[in-house]
Amino acid sequence: MKNNPLDQLYEEHKIIAESEKRILDLNETWTSDPAQFKSSVENMLRFFQEYADGLHHRKEEEYLFPALINHPAFTLQEMIREFENHHDEFRNYIACIKEELNKQRWEAAYKLLRSYSLDLRDHIAAENEELFVLAENLLDENELEEMYFRFRDLEMELGDKKLAELEGMLRL
């Protein structure tokens, strides 16, 4: 299939997963350069808010999840609720990390960021291995192609330049 939206979601997961190494590299850097640590974490939080949540999770919540929930053969509504709850938890993590940064509690901010990263890794694995496989099997080619173009509309709303900037943020 030429225009498969699930390929986009898999690729976005790869980009998001690159954050784990960057997070590990930040461990204890606050001891030698707290300002640089804070700046690096704020940059990562921006990536998570604008790319992981603002684009990727938005695609799932606005298009993929409803397509599955409304599919007559789909009976795992609880699975969708669980993924939506994960997204909410990730937003909460970001708020808590920001709060710790503002209070200059570097180690606490890092521990939360590390927990976020581990939970995100598990979430990505579950979506890749369960949700996306299920979607591929349930949705027909026309439904998937329509979703692909809806995804592209969201990307165009963001803008190619901004999208490229966000995708490159963790590859520095």
Side-chain angles (χ1 to χ4, degrees):
M1 170 181 229
K2 182 181 173 189
N3 296 321
N4 189 339
L6 300 171
D7 291 342
Q8 289 179 293
L9 296 176
Y10 283 119
E11 183 59 30
E12 289 165 5
H13 275 173
K14 286 180 191 173
I15 293 166
I16 294 165
E18 291 177 22
S19 67
E20 189 167 8
K21 182 182 179 332
R22 295 283 305 275
I23 290 168
L24 289 172
D25 290 344
L26 287 173
N27 191 21
E28 296 192 19
T29 59
W30 60 85
T31 60
S32 60
D33 193 346
Q36 180 58 47
F37 170 79
K38 182 180 183 193
S39 176
S40 295
V41 172
E42 287 173 338
N43 190 49
M44 294 187 86
L45 295 180
R46 181 175 158 244
F47 168 80
F48 291 130
Q49 285 183 297
E50 294 180 26
Y51 188 83
D53 193 42
L55 179 68
H56 179 79
H57 291 162
R58 186 173 169 201
K59 287 178 179 179
E60 293 173 342
E61 292 171 357
E62 290 183 16
Y63 300 109
L64 178 61
F65 295 170
L68 290 172
I69 288 169
N70 294 324
H71 193 282
F74 185 74
T75 60
L76 302 171
Q77 280 72 17
E78 184 58 36
M79 175 193 282
I80 300 299
R81 281 192 292 279
E82 185 176 330
F83 286 123
E84 289 173 327
N85 287 340
H86 290 173
H87 293 177
D88 290 338
E89 289 169 11
F90 295 143
R91 293 174 188 118
N92 188 54
Y93 264 122
I94 298 299
C96 291
I97 295 165
K98 284 182 177 182
E99 184 177 324
E100 294 301 330
L101 285 178
N102 290 335
K103 293 178 179 177
Q104 298 185 0
R105 294 196 278 213
W106 312 126
E107 187 172 0
Y110 179 77
K111 285 180 179 180
L112 282 169
L113 184 61
R114 184 69 180 120
S115 293
Y116 171 86
S117 174
L118 294 172
D119 287 351
L120 190 60
R121 180 180 61 193
D122 292 344
H123 174 80
I124 286 171
E127 285 188 341
N128 285 351
E129 296 166 14
E130 299 170 27
L131 183 69
F132 297 169
V133 172
L134 185 63
E136 187 93 54
N137 289 317
L138 282 180
L139 302 175
D140 66 33
E141 194 169 312
N142 290 334
E143 292 168 311
L144 289 169
E145 188 158 30
E146 180 182 336
M147 187 179 301
Y148 172 87
F149 287 108
R150 290 185 186 270
F151 285 5
R152 288 295 300 140
D153 288 344
L154 288 178
E155 292 167 3
M156 288 173 37
E157 183 181 306
L158 187 62
D160 289 339
K161 184 177 177 183
K162 180 75 167 181
L163 182 61
E165 173 195 340
L166 291 170
E167 288 178 343
M169 284 179 80
L170 300 180
R171 294 180 175 157
L172 302 173

